[in-house]
Structures are given as structure tokens and as C-alpha cells.
Amino acid sequence: MTGLADWKIVLIDDEEDIRDVLTMALEDAGYEVHSAPDGQTGIRLCQTLSPQIVITDIRMPGIDGLQVLETLKQTDSDVEVIVVTAFGEMNLAIRALQLDASDFITKPISDEALHLALQRARQRYTSKKQLKDYTDLLEKEKAATSQQLLKSIGFQRNLIENSMDGILGCAEGDAVVIYNHSMEQLVGYSKAEVIHRMTLEQFIAPDEAARLKEALVSDRYGGKNRLFLFETYLQDKSGRKVPVQVSAAVLFANGQPSGRVCFFRDLREIRKLEREVADQARILHQDKMMSLGRLAASVVHEINNPLSGILNYLRLMIRIVNRGPLGEKHRAKFKKYLELVENETHRCSRIISSLLTFSRMSPPEFGPVQINELIDRCIILSRHKLELSSIELVTFIETDLPTVMGDFNQLQQCVINLIFNAVDAMPDGGTLTIDSHYHPDTKKVSIAVKDSGLGIAPDDLAHVFEPFFTTKKEGFGVGLGLPTVYGIVEHHNGVVDVSSRQGEGTVFTIQLPVTNVC
Ligand SMILES: Nc1ncnc2c1ncn2[C@@H]1O[C@H](COP(=O)(O)OP(=O)(O)OP(=O)(O)O)[C@@H](O)[C@H]1O
Ligand SMILES: [Mg+2]
């Protein structure tokens, strides 16, 4: 606002002469002037024109100058009001200043006093306006900054709240001040129960608190005053221990410890999975021990035959030796007996070594497996059982099969389980066919174990691989054979299929990939 023409003045005075003189003087100075003969009209004029400056006489009939001042200030506190008093009315002038008049001039009004008062009013108005604009600007900026601050606080709160890990923050003295949703799920206490009411220690399982404290100050787990992936237990609301992995840090402000923050990862699911894996390993072993028991019985017979053969030949040889020096005729017989003893001993040794391999309780060991050798070993172990059950064995073994990467012992367990099931399915004898093939199109080796037995009822077919599904009489089957086969084959990235017709027989086929052949 530079030129005086931008300044609007409303002049209120009941004396016409004064109004005219002042109007003229002010207009000459360059102001835009509007005048009113009484307070009421003056106020109305101000409401429509919104002048920056009002000059009002104090003593007027009707609404006096002080009332005008008061009314105007109520609607627009920025308006500058100059009051005109008669000489000697100092008390009225003071009252006017108390009501925030910008100045007072006394009658008779001198030009100098008038312009000085107007100059001061203009200055006051301008600085007030600038201050107001500046305050408005500051207000706006403050609002924007607070909004930004609020947004960033909101964002951080969201991060903490939605973290998958439980987050627990403590102020000095260990009172909990941050406690997120995952923490609620871990220990079951609500925020209201915890914030400012509980301490960190109340969440740690009692026998773990000392260990955790010691770990936090030692530099063994992530450094001094820091803790990294430390496994411990929390204690939930109902007193149960919750396994967790904790990372934590002591917080510092001005070099002094000011609190702690802990991040807890729930280990319950992982522990459950670990238990399941352990259970599976236990089932695998259990199945093997049962198969071993059944094998041992038949192997005893299997070894007994060659052993009695060996005994007979040895007795014959002793008799020959006792007769005196060996003649040419006896030497040939002697040699033949020795060869037979060697053969039979070899047979026994093969059976025993197969049984030992099978019973070995070793951790799974992957290596190149010759599928035909595997089948051969299984046949050695079960031959006697087949003979006892009047089962004829037919094999179609493809020579030069590529090797498969696998655990010999586990795969042997699979084939033995399939043979045992086949034998059980042919109580009145039958034919067991074992074949092996390489399928170049799928790059898989298959082992099929087929029987001419009872077959599987269509309703049962979908359940045979389920643990503890058995149709056998109590004491004859537990229902772990096929689930074991399934688990082992899957572990080898293979598949096992079954097809069966009731009354005709069943075939189980294991297919193993040869991509990882070495
Ligand atoms: N070759 C087969 N012919 C007919 N039924 C079979 C054959 N193989 C498996 N089954 C059926 O599948 C069921 C489950 O077999 P699985 O080998 O898992 O357990 P099981 O033989 O009953 O007991 P376990 O093997 O633990 O001693 C058997 O009880 C039987 O009903
Ligand atoms: Mg079985």
C-alpha cells in the first residue's frame, strides 16, 4: 500500500462544518474520504466500505465516539480509529486508548496534528497487517510441519504396529512404552495391561531372565549392549513358555542408557515343524525295525540251508583226510567239496551283508545307486520268504541302467516293503514280478513290484499311503510300510504309483530321476 488513494477513511462527526473542513483537507492530501453525521450511520458505512482508518468525534448525540470505537473493534480489530476530543477531556481520550484507539486529536484540529495522527495510524495499520501476514504464514508453515511430523510419526507407528516381529520398547527403569500387535499375540497381554504398567523382566521366563541380561551386556551375541538372534523363552499371560529368538539393543541419550528395545521372533511354528521332522524320522526307523524283525526270521532259514551244506561237505572232507594221504581220485572230490563250501559260504556272507546294510542305522547318505544291485540285494533277503509262501519270482531286469543318486539303504527299505506287501497279498502263492527300466523320454528309472494277489478295494486305494492305514489283522500290519515308501521316494524327487484290480493283483511302481547321475 503506497499511494494515499488506497487509504479509505470514514469520518464521523455531528458538526457539518467540521466534516466539510476535514473532508476537504483529507481529500487534498490524497485520501479517499467518506463521512457520516452520527455514530449509527458511521458504523453502517464502515460495515459496507471496510475503511482502514476511522476518525470519530467522541461527543455525539446518540451513539457516541467511544461506542463507535468499541463496535468497530469488535467486528474488525485491525481498523485504526482516531478519536477527536475536546480540549480538557483527557479522561475520555485515555478511555479511548484503552479501547484500542490508535490515537486522539483535540479540537480545534490542527492540520499538523491530524496528519501526524494519520501517519501513525497508517504505520500501525501497515505493521499490524505485516505482522498478521507473517503470523498467517508461520501458522500455515507450522500446520504443514506438524502435519508432516504427524504423518511421519503415524508412519513409524504403523511400521512398529504391523511388524511381524514382536517389538517391545522400555524407557529408563524398564517400564514398557512400546508394545505392538505381534507382542500381544506372542504373550497374550493387551496394550492397556502392559504400557507403563509392566517391565521387560515380567515377560521373560523366570529361569531365562538372568541368562538374557548377561547376554545383553556381554559382547558374545552381537556386541556389547546389543543382542543378535539370541534364543530364549518368553512367558505368556497364562504362564506358558513361548520359544523366541530375540534381538535387542540398549538405547542411549546423551551418552547415558535411556531404555531398551527388543525384537522377538516367534519360534513356535519352527519348533512344531522340527518336532514333525523328528517324528517322521522316528516313524521311518520304526518301520525299518519291523521289517528287520520279519526279515531276520526268514534270513535265519536262508542261512541255515547253506550252513548245513557246508557242515556236510566239511564232514566228508574230514573223513577223506582221515583215510590217509589223498590219492588222485580223492583230490578231485576234495576240490569239488571245497568249491561247494566256498560257494555256500559266499552265499551266507552275501545274505548277512545285505541284512547288515539294511539294518544299519545311518543318517541318509546320497550316492550313486545301481538299481539292479539294489533289486538283487532285496531278492537275496526275501527269497526264502517267497519260497515259503510258494511264490514264484520273475524278474525283468534291464541291463546297463543308468545310476541314480540316492540313499541305497533307504531305497532298499522301499523295495523290501513293496515285496512284503506283495507276499501278504498272495496267501495262497502266486507270482511276484520285479522289473526295472530306463525311460529315456522322462529320464527316469522305474522299479515295478507286481503281484498276482488279492488286489486293493477301490475305496481303499486312495488311502494306502496314509500312515497307519492297514487292512491287516492286528499284529500283522501297522500301516507304516507304504507311507515310508512314499516319504523316501519323495525325498529322492521321485514318484510312487499304484494300480490294482481286485482279484487280479497289484503293481507298485517307483520312478526315480536320473538327471543328477554322477
Ligand atoms: N500289494 C498289495 N496288494 C494288496 N493290498 C496292498 C498291497 N500293498 C499294500 N496294500 C494295502 O495297503 C495297506 C497299507 O500298506 P502298508 O504297507 O502301508 O501297511 P501294512 O502292510 O498294512 O502294515 P506294515 O507295512 O506297517 O506292516 C495294506 O494294509 C493293504 O491293505
Ligand atoms: Mg506293509
Side-chain angles (χ1 to χ4, degrees):
M1 229 177 244
T2 46
L4 292 180
D6 293 329
W7 290 91
K8 228 182 271 175
I9 297 179
V10 167
L11 175 66
I12 311 167
D13 202 310
D14 56 327
E15 285 176 60
E16 199 179 349
D17 297 348
I18 293 182
R19 278 205 312 274
D20 289 348
V21 174
L22 281 179
T23 304
M24 212 180 298
L26 292 170
E27 279 179 348
D28 285 351
Y31 294 101
E32 179 188 330
V33 187
H34 305 267
S35 64
D38 57 73
Q40 189 80 49
T41 320
I43 289 169
R44 262 206 309 274
L45 205 58
C46 288
Q47 278 162 355
T48 46
L49 295 173
S50 306
Q52 295 101 329
I53 301 172
V54 175
I55 301 173
T56 179
D57 190 11
I58 282 214
R59 283 199 186 279
M60 289 185 292
I63 294 179
D64 68 14
L66 286 177
Q67 280 172 290
V68 169
L69 168 65
E70 234 176 325
T71 316
L72 292 181
K73 282 283 173 183
Q74 267 165 18
T75 42
D76 176 11
S77 62
D78 289 344
V79 68
E80 293 299 329
V81 182
I82 299 168
V83 293
V84 183
T85 60
F87 185 75
E89 290 179 332
M90 220 37 196
N91 54 337
L92 283 179
I94 290 170
R95 178 76 193 122
L97 290 178
Q98 282 170 344
L99 291 171
D100 199 27
S102 54
D103 218 335
F104 67 94
I105 42 181
T106 47
K107 287 180 185 170
I109 302 167
S110 74
D111 254 14
E112 201 192 340
L114 176 67
H115 288 299
L116 207 63
L118 280 170
Q119 195 188 352
R120 279 205 293 262
R122 282 201 324 266
Q123 262 172 8
R124 232 172 87 117
Y125 185 88
T126 313
S127 6
K128 263 204 307 200
K129 178 99 178 69
Q130 280 172 349
L131 194 69
K132 190 163 178 286
D133 287 351
Y134 186 60
T135 320
D136 281 354
L137 188 78
L138 281 184
E139 281 291 321
K140 249 186 242 159
E141 278 185 4
K142 191 177 126 204
T145 319
S146 338
Q147 216 163 10
Q148 232 170 349
L149 203 67
L150 280 177
K151 217 166 128 186
S152 110
I153 291 174
F155 181 71
Q156 286 174 11
R157 189 174 300 156
N158 239 340
L159 273 186
I160 293 173
E161 200 50 35
N162 292 312
S163 157
M164 303 291 281
D165 287 347
I167 300 180
L168 192 146
C170 302
E172 219 179 336
D174 258 359
V176 177
V177 286
I178 293 174
Y179 178 85
N180 70 351
H181 181 63
S182 296
M183 257 335 272
E184 288 182 319
Q185 292 193 318
L186 263 176
V187 285
Y189 291 100
S190 73
K191 272 197 189 60
E193 288 173 292
V194 173
I195 303 274
H196 296 300
R197 287 166 186 244
M198 290 177 74
T199 58
L200 172 62
E201 253 188 64
Q202 288 173 275
F203 293 94
I204 311 293
D207 43 337
E208 287 288 304
R211 207 168 73 88
L212 184 72
K213 244 187 196 160
E214 196 237 319
L216 192 58
V217 288
S218 90
D219 48 13
R220 258 185 308 155
Y221 307 91
K224 204 164 165 51
N225 293 318
R226 298 178 72 79
L227 198 58
F228 190 58
L229 305 181
F230 182 80
E231 291 195 7
T232 182
Y233 289 91
L234 291 178
Q235 180 161 286
D236 74 4
K237 196 175 174 181
S238 51
R240 269 192 306 256
K241 275 180 154 189
V242 182
V244 288
Q245 194 178 54
V246 54
S247 296
V250 177
L251 305 174
F252 285 88
N254 304 323
Q256 292 298 315
S258 63
R260 294 191 233 190
V261 62
C262 305
F263 302 86
F264 296 100
R265 178 155 299 167
D266 194 344
L267 294 183
R268 282 177 292 195
E269 200 55 35
I270 293 174
R271 292 278 185 271
K272 201 172 127 206
L273 286 175
E274 283 172 354
R275 273 200 304 276
E276 275 171 19
V277 169
D279 281 354
Q280 273 171 16
R282 197 173 42 75
I283 285 181
L284 203 72
H285 183 63
Q286 195 176 330
D287 170 73
K288 193 168 174 178
M289 287 301 106
M290 288 187 323
S291 308
L292 197 61
R294 291 166 72 177
L295 271 177
S298 65
V299 162
V300 166
H301 292 278
E302 190 69 1
I303 293 174
N304 210 21
N305 289 345
L307 274 184
S308 38
I310 290 168
L311 200 63
N312 282 338
Y313 295 128
L314 286 176
R315 278 184 187 143
L316 278 172
M317 285 189 285
I318 290 169
R319 204 177 288 167
I320 292 171
V321 170
N322 285 342
R323 277 191 194 152
L326 283 183
E328 203 42 50
K329 189 179 136 211
H330 285 122
R331 175 182 281 273
K333 244 187 196 171
F334 205 90
K335 194 168 170 252
K336 193 180 137 210
Y337 291 155
L338 275 177
E339 275 166 9
L340 285 168
V341 166
E342 189 191 13
N343 274 346
E344 293 299 86
T345 314
H346 193 60
R347 197 170 137 205
C348 286
S349 141
R350 288 232 304 159
I351 294 165
I352 286 169
S353 89
S354 295
L355 195 65
L356 282 177
T357 320
F358 184 70
S359 65
R360 202 175 54 214
M361 201 187 143
S362 51
E365 221 174 78
F366 270 53
V369 175
Q370 303 284 350
I371 293 299
N372 286 346
E373 189 198 333
L374 180 99
I375 294 176
D376 207 32
R377 293 278 187 139
C378 296
I379 291 173
I380 290 174
L381 287 173
S382 39
R383 181 175 289 132
H384 188 76
K385 199 171 167 60
L386 297 177
E387 276 169 18
L388 277 181
S389 310
S390 319
I391 293 169
E392 185 198 357
L393 175 68
V394 179
T395 52
F396 294 104
I397 304 295
E398 194 173 292
T399 48
D400 297 332
L401 284 182
T403 44
V404 160
M405 280 301 279
D407 181 288
F408 189 94
N409 204 241
Q410 285 193 343
L411 291 174
Q412 194 183 10
Q413 189 175 356
C414 290
V415 178
I416 294 273
N417 280 357
L418 295 183
I419 294 176
F420 278 10
N421 279 349
V423 171
D424 289 344
M426 298 183 283
D428 302 321
T431 307
L432 174 73
T433 313
I434 301 180
D435 67 38
S436 63
H437 274 300
Y438 175 58
H439 308 266
D441 46 338
T442 55
K443 291 201 172 62
K444 280 181 180 163
V445 167
S446 67
I447 309 164
V449 179
K450 184 177 165 197
D451 64 64
S452 58
L454 303 166
I456 302 172
D459 283 352
D460 292 344
L461 205 56
H463 302 289
V464 290
F465 291 106
E466 287 169 14
F468 305 108
F469 174 85
T470 180
T471 54
K472 294 173 189 169
K473 277 193 293 210
E474 187 141 358
F476 287 86
V478 182
L480 285 180
L482 290 178
T484 304
V485 173
Y486 190 91
I488 291 176
V489 172
E490 199 181 43
H491 190 55
H492 284 74
N493 291 324
V495 281
V496 50
D497 289 316
V498 55
S499 80
S500 182
R501 265 175 194 277
Q502 266 194 299
E504 288 181 25
T506 305
V507 53
F508 280 91
T509 313
I510 294 174
Q511 296 192 61
L512 299 167
V514 291
T515 43
N516 43 4
V517 175
C518 61

